[in-house]
Amino acid sequence: MKAEELIKAIGEPMRYRILQQLLLRKHCVRSLSKKMGVTESAISQHLKVMKEAGLVYGEKYGYHTHYYPSREAVDLLADTFKAMQRQS
């Protein structure tokens, strides 16, 4: 997992909003779709990008997969932005 890939993954506004929601609590695709006002297909595509970057992971519960933010990824992003702040 690289900071550049994580930043690129949240560089799209909808993915940033999804991450914000997942930081509050776990969600399934349907829940995020209703909350964000976009199709389940669109949410799934965004989550796919986020999963490939290592930003989120999913756990199966029956027919649904619940998504969570990766603690390692969030910590890496925080450390990266703190380092950038110190350099400025």
Side-chain angles (χ1 to χ4, degrees):
M1 169 180 357
K2 295 182 181 180
E4 296 87 2
E5 294 170 358
L6 297 173
I7 293 168
K8 184 177 178 182
I10 61 167
E12 203 286 332
M14 180 58 67
R15 290 195 288 265
Y16 177 73
R17 289 179 52 212
I18 290 170
L19 178 61
Q20 287 179 313
Q21 290 302 313
L22 293 176
L23 288 168
L24 297 174
R25 72 176 192 87
K26 67 182 177 183
H27 285 278
C28 65
V29 171
R30 180 171 289 164
S31 170
L32 284 168
S33 173
K34 288 179 181 179
K35 189 169 267 307
M36 302 293 188
V38 296
T39 65
E40 290 181 26
S41 177
I43 294 294
S44 291
Q45 290 300 312
H46 286 302
L47 286 169
K48 178 183 174 192
V49 171
M50 295 169 78
K51 279 175 54 177
E52 289 173 355
L55 191 56
V56 301
Y57 65 96
E59 291 184 359
K60 272 297 241 190
Y61 291 97
Y63 294 107
H64 301 282
T65 301
H66 292 181
Y67 291 91
Y68 302 84
S70 163
R71 175 56 51 198
E72 289 178 352
V74 172
D75 289 345
L76 179 57
L77 282 171
D79 293 344
T80 299
F81 287 121
K82 286 177 188 172
M84 291 170 69
Q85 183 181 33
R86 285 191 300 270
Q87 291 173 354
S88 65

